Amino acid sequence: MRLWRVVLLLNLAVGVGVLVGWLAWGQQIPRLERRLLESQQRVLVVGGEQTWIVKGVVRAVIPEIQVVVLTHDEIPGFMPAGMTMGFKVQNPNVLERARVGDVVRFTLTGVPPDVQITALVKEGQS
């Protein structure tokens, strides 16, 4: 095969590949631009301080850094249910009431993600 035919076939293959790629992906551009515009219009409004009363189970108490680790129910608008995480307590006296395995109802106050436990009441044992 002559060299010019090889070059012509390679250029044709590249051209067909670019055309197929544009047909497959280039047609998505208007849809992606619409989705980008919609997501830019949905602005997260950070409000003032919020308070949640949530049920959870104490998993650990770390008095050195004033943290209680809890597996908690859903915190509406902030966190889904079933998460286990540590929350700082506002008052160290709250730590004295928390024991590992306790089922508790706690009050979480603050502006997400900077929240603290302000009250904790034992409801039972898990």
Side-chain angles (χ1 to χ4, degrees):
M1 195 179 241
R2 297 196 177 235
L3 183 59
W4 67 270
R5 286 184 180 172
V6 172
V7 171
L8 181 66
L9 285 175
L10 285 174
N11 284 335
L12 185 61
V14 168
V16 168
V18 168
L19 178 65
V20 169
W22 182 82
L23 288 173
W25 293 102
Q27 299 297 318
Q28 300 292 329
I29 291 173
R31 182 182 63 84
L32 293 173
E33 286 175 339
R34 260 192 328 273
R35 287 187 65 191
L36 178 62
L37 183 62
E38 288 170 5
S39 68
Q40 288 172 344
Q41 290 173 348
R42 277 187 251 139
V43 177
L44 176 63
V45 177
V46 178
E49 187 171 272
Q50 296 182 355
T51 300
W52 298 273
I53 297 176
V54 186
K55 188 174 179 181
V57 178
V58 177
R59 299 298 180 195
V61 179
I62 310 169
E64 296 83 15
I65 56 174
Q66 297 182 0
V67 169
V68 176
V69 179
L70 297 154
T71 300
H72 58 79
D73 290 345
E74 179 183 9
I75 302 172
F78 184 40
M79 289 184 194
M83 292 186 67
T84 300
M85 62 181 305
F87 294 102
K88 195 157 185 73
V89 295
Q90 188 176 46
N91 185 346
N93 295 335
V94 172
L95 295 173
E96 296 170 5
R97 288 173 274 184
R99 300 281 178 258
V100 175
D102 286 351
V103 175
V104 295
R105 185 164 303 276
F106 61 98
T107 304
L108 200 59
T109 304
V111 178
D114 185 25
V115 294
Q116 293 183 338
I117 294 176
T118 55
L120 186 132
V121 177
K122 179 178 176 179
E123 289 192 339
Q125 188 74 21
S126 66

